[in-house]
Amino acid sequence: MATTAGVSRSDEWSTPTFWRELAPALRIEDIDFLSSLQLFSVDDPTRERLQGLMRKEGYFQLPPVGWNLPLEEMVALVAKLDAQGIPVPFAFLYDEFWALFIKLHQVIEPILGPGYMRMPDFWVWFVDPRRDDSGWKPHRDKTQPTLRADGSPTSLTVWLPLSDATTLNGCMYMVPADRDPTYNTPENGQWQFAHQDIRALPAEAGSILMWNQAVLHWGSHGSPRETRPRVSAAFEFQSADVPPYNSPLMAPNTVPGFAGRLALVGKQILQYQHMYPLAPEMREIATRLKDSATL
Ligand SMILES: O=C(O)CCC(=O)C(=O)O
Ligand SMILES: [Fe+2]
């Protein structure tokens, strides 16, 4: 049932004006900014090391890099969204959140191959340990086969901490592929790993984590002893030579316009509702937004 409040909120949320006023320090459809981003470069030995880690352990982590993006303002925006009861993936209305992933082009391409695509799958987390929040429970991002014969992936998840992710505010945990007896087997729904093989992945703000979509991982439960929330953003990508895992796929150097971003945010809220209780009013808004533009 459409409630009046829901309709007026989704009307308000449908205009860039509302979002520009909410976060004046961030950009929306600043074409000059988006077209002049400096991409990180990766040398040959690093590329080979990362490809090897992705095949062997199923993931890698890189220390903080100089993003040349306003990470603190991005964290402040996510906190503000959360405080106002706005689902935090609305952060992807702002250019800076797309810029993060565009800048990683040369890190992603060697893993997935030329012509790789961005999937319409992204999320943002605000894990507040003071209110007993957790990250996402244990899962594999895909249970169908997503690995080539040599172990390299046809899809991956890029996960970026914008604040420090610690063992007390819900950092990621991983069962490395080479320690997981059911990894890449038809029994991958049964988890048989040894507890000692679980790896904590604390990560400073600005670090880079990437994992293939077959590894088992989760965001942990925070402790109220920690006061700083864990803020992170993730996006998924796939190789060009396998059928789309979701649609619409996007070229990784393009960014949808404001209307397309709104529709994509609506899609995310609906497709990840198994991870969060979704209030009927929010489901209504997400549906309206998803249907508001052709994806
Ligand atoms: O951040 C989390 O808690 C979960 C992240 C995750 O599972 C993913 O991005 O694939
Ligand atoms: Fe995941």
Side-chain angles (χ1 to χ4, degrees):
M1 275 293 158
T3 61
T4 317
V7 171
S8 60
R9 278 236 271 189
S10 71
D11 284 349
E12 188 180 37
W13 292 358
S14 297
T15 66
T17 316
F18 172 81
W19 303 100
R20 291 210 168 95
E21 283 170 7
L22 191 74
L26 300 181
R27 301 160 196 266
I28 296 179
E29 288 192 301
D30 182 336
I31 308 303
D32 290 342
F33 166 74
L34 285 170
S35 56
S36 62
L37 291 171
Q38 286 285 131
L39 310 190
F40 296 120
S41 61
V42 179
D43 59 25
D44 289 346
T46 305
R47 184 180 310 127
E48 277 165 33
R49 187 170 62 84
L50 299 181
Q51 288 167 330
L53 281 169
M54 195 54 101
R55 283 193 300 267
K56 185 172 176 349
E57 298 198 325
Y59 81 98
F60 61 75
Q61 175 171 359
L62 297 169
V65 289
W67 284 94
N68 200 19
L69 289 172
L71 295 194
E72 284 177 15
E73 280 86 354
M74 295 162 78
V75 167
L77 162 76
V78 175
K80 199 165 180 181
L81 293 173
D82 181 83
Q84 297 197 9
I86 301 175
V88 291
F90 275 96
F92 274 96
L93 295 180
Y94 297 90
D95 298 345
E96 285 83 355
F97 284 78
W98 296 84
L100 288 166
F101 299 89
I102 291 176
K103 288 172 72 78
L104 291 172
H105 175 67
Q106 291 188 33
V107 191
I108 300 171
E109 190 179 42
I111 310 288
L112 292 178
Y116 78 91
M117 299 292 277
R118 190 167 54 210
M119 287 190 255
D121 299 292
F122 59 82
W123 199 255
V124 174
W125 289 263
F126 181 85
V127 180
D128 188 346
R130 291 167 300 186
R131 64 179 183 207
D132 210 28
D133 286 353
S134 303
W136 282 3
K137 55 187 184 286
H139 62 279
R140 303 182 194 276
D141 288 338
K142 300 217 177 349
T143 48
Q144 77 259 40
T146 53
L147 298 173
R148 301 183 193 278
D150 71 350
S152 61
T154 55
S155 62
L156 61 77
T157 299
V158 179
W159 187 94
L160 305 172
L162 306 180
S163 66
D164 292 347
T166 71
T167 51
L168 294 182
N169 72 2
C171 75
M172 296 303 299
Y173 283 70
M174 183 78 61
V175 181
D178 58 344
R179 306 302 314 168
D180 180 352
T182 59
Y183 173 81
N184 195 28
T185 73
E187 288 75 47
N188 69 4
Q190 294 159 35
W191 301 341
Q192 296 172 7
F193 58 88
H195 288 97
Q196 283 180 299
D197 288 332
I198 296 171
R199 187 165 302 163
L201 301 177
E204 280 175 59
S207 309
I208 299 167
L209 275 83
M210 293 193 195
W211 50 82
N212 73 35
Q213 298 204 306
V215 283
L216 183 56
H217 60 279
W218 58 92
S220 52
H221 198 149
S223 157
R225 282 194 286 131
E226 175 59 84
T227 55
R228 296 165 305 163
R230 182 259 275 185
V231 176
S232 55
F235 227 122
E236 301 187 17
F237 298 85
Q238 71 160 83
S239 300
D241 62 346
V242 291
Y245 293 120
N246 196 355
S247 67
L249 296 180
M250 295 165 265
N253 59 347
T254 62
V255 179
F258 177 76
R261 296 180 205 178
L262 263 184
L264 281 168
V265 170
K267 177 179 168 77
Q268 305 315 303
I269 292 170
L270 295 175
Q271 76 184 4
Y272 291 118
Q273 57 182 293
H274 55 290
M275 294 296 188
Y276 297 93
L278 183 58
E281 186 209 2
M282 203 57 79
R283 181 176 302 116
E284 170 90 23
I285 294 176
T287 307
R288 285 166 65 93
L289 294 178
K290 174 172 178 278
D291 295 340
S292 66
T294 314
L295 284 177

